[in-house]
Amino acid sequence: MWRSRLCLRGGWRRLLNRPSGGPTVSAGARANIPSASPSPSRAYAPPTERKRFYQNVSITQGEGGFEINLDHRKLKTPQAKLFTVPSEALAIAVATEWDSQQDTIKFYTMHLTTLCNTSLDNPTQRNKDQLIRAAVKFLDTDTLCYRVEEPETLVELQKNEWDPIIEWAKKRYGLEIGSSTSIMGPSIPASTREVLVSHLASYNMWALQGIEFVVAQLKSMMLTLGLIDLRLTVEQAVLLSRLEEEYQIQKWGSVEWAHDYELQELRARTAAGTLFVHLCSESSTVKHKLLRD
């Protein structure tokens, strides 16, 4: 089966580099695994760590989709629902997360599993329209729309790096959006919100969970659109979201290890969320020829 894992990791690199029965085990909140309380906003906060208790990870196809098996036990969600995902590619990705854990299971590194749990359990009980509205609301505080007035070098940096993304979004989606140095930010026309709502409505509920997750990481709907549409790579989107911080680091230096850790964590979460969106938007099965040696 883990020829599939090689295919997945190759796909991950491409994403970063180019524009029925049996015992069960919970994916994070039953007797065998410490419980994780859901975040009041969007997703479950994963538990911390525990000793690895399984040897093999496999995938089976059931009536509701693709299931993850840890040895002979079926994975379950924090609310004790059967952990079932809609596509084989997503199942492979989640199974890879579980299989890559060493002696200790580090739940906080398993972003795809957490996103699946949130999609399956829907702890905040939001419908599709509410998910779309929550994502669109990020337009009001989009990082790319808030500019500094000084120093001049940072003003120019924001203009040179952020303006092309805004111009691309205008042409690609027909949006009307600008930038402002005011603390109130630019005025967002109702037509822009309507266009974005219509575009997001083309995604399914699972993909929308991923989109909202990515927007929350980057603090920008514009960067999220560019990332999902392959206009940007993960590294580019993350760097653009941290432009002012990176400017300050180059000027004043960084705190040893702390900034690097934050950067890698943000890249990991953003990459996982983007991969989740794509895997939830594609065909339910992986062509067998992709799994050949």
Side-chain angles (χ1 to χ4, degrees):
M1 152 172 185
W2 292 115
R3 286 178 295 184
S4 304
R5 181 172 62 186
L6 297 177
C7 172
L8 168 72
R9 290 176 178 173
W12 186 289
R13 285 194 294 271
R14 288 194 296 274
L15 178 63
L16 294 180
N17 295 325
R18 56 161 297 197
S20 273
T24 60
V25 59
S26 166
R30 284 295 150 246
N32 290 333
I33 299 181
S35 176
S37 300
S39 163
S41 55
R42 282 172 287 278
Y44 284 118
T48 52
E49 299 180 0
R50 68 155 296 175
K51 182 178 177 60
R52 177 166 172 160
F53 55 89
Y54 54 91
Q55 295 294 321
N56 301 306
V57 183
S58 62
I59 297 169
T60 54
Q61 186 171 9
E63 293 183 1
F66 296 87
E67 304 164 2
I68 310 297
N69 307 298
L70 305 180
D71 294 331
H72 300 294
R73 292 170 288 188
K74 292 187 180 298
L75 195 61
K76 299 192 80 174
T77 71
Q79 291 186 12
K81 296 178 182 178
L82 184 63
F83 191 101
T84 306
V85 300
S87 76
E88 185 180 8
L90 180 57
I92 291 172
V94 172
T96 300
E97 279 192 332
W98 285 88
D99 191 57
S100 64
Q101 302 302 306
Q102 302 301 314
D103 294 337
T104 301
I105 306 172
K106 298 180 178 180
F107 295 101
Y108 50 85
T109 67
M110 303 170 73
H111 306 301
L112 293 174
T113 299
T114 300
L115 282 166
C116 289
N117 281 334
T118 302
S119 297
L120 288 164
D121 285 348
N122 192 12
T124 54
Q125 297 300 302
R126 292 183 297 171
N127 59 32
K128 185 173 182 177
D129 182 66
Q130 290 172 316
L131 279 174
I132 292 173
R133 298 292 174 182
V136 171
K137 190 171 179 58
F138 275 93
L139 276 177
D140 295 327
T141 56
D142 197 294
T143 296
L144 271 59
C145 296
Y146 284 78
R147 306 297 176 89
V148 298
E149 294 182 305
E150 58 179 352
E152 185 62 30
T153 50
L154 181 55
V155 172
E156 285 299 311
L157 184 62
Q158 290 179 337
K159 176 180 175 60
N160 293 337
E161 299 296 334
W162 286 350
D163 281 4
I165 305 303
I166 292 180
E167 290 303 314
W168 167 83
K170 287 180 178 179
K171 294 178 182 179
R172 173 68 175 83
Y173 298 101
L175 304 179
E176 295 180 31
I177 190 167
S179 59
S180 173
T181 57
S182 167
I183 192 172
M184 301 302 294
S187 176
I188 309 295
S191 60
T192 290
R193 298 181 192 276
E194 291 170 2
V195 168
L196 194 53
V197 166
S198 177
H199 172 68
L200 293 178
S202 66
Y203 289 93
N204 59 47
M205 283 279 290
W206 284 62
L208 286 172
Q209 293 280 7
I211 289 173
E212 188 187 14
F213 179 78
V214 175
V215 174
Q217 306 310 310
L218 299 176
K219 307 295 187 293
S220 170
M221 176 56 75
M222 297 298 102
L223 291 177
T224 300
L225 291 173
L227 184 54
I228 292 173
D229 210 28
L230 303 182
R231 168 63 174 77
L232 298 169
T233 65
V234 169
E235 286 90 345
Q236 289 171 336
V238 168
L239 181 60
L240 289 172
S241 75
R242 290 166 46 95
L243 197 62
E244 184 172 355
E245 183 175 356
E246 293 298 326
Y247 173 84
Q248 298 295 345
I249 289 173
Q250 289 191 19
K251 185 175 181 179
W252 303 108
S254 62
V255 177
E256 188 175 0
W257 72 263
H259 287 108
D260 288 340
Y261 177 80
E262 291 176 1
L263 177 60
Q264 295 304 322
E265 276 294 293
L266 181 55
R267 282 179 177 171
R269 292 192 298 269
T270 303
T274 306
L275 181 62
F276 184 82
V277 173
H278 283 284
L279 295 182
C280 291
S281 306
E282 295 177 352
S283 174
S284 62
T285 58
V286 176
K287 293 184 181 297
H288 291 294
K289 66 180 180 181
L290 297 178
L291 305 180
R292 292 175 184 168
D293 290 326

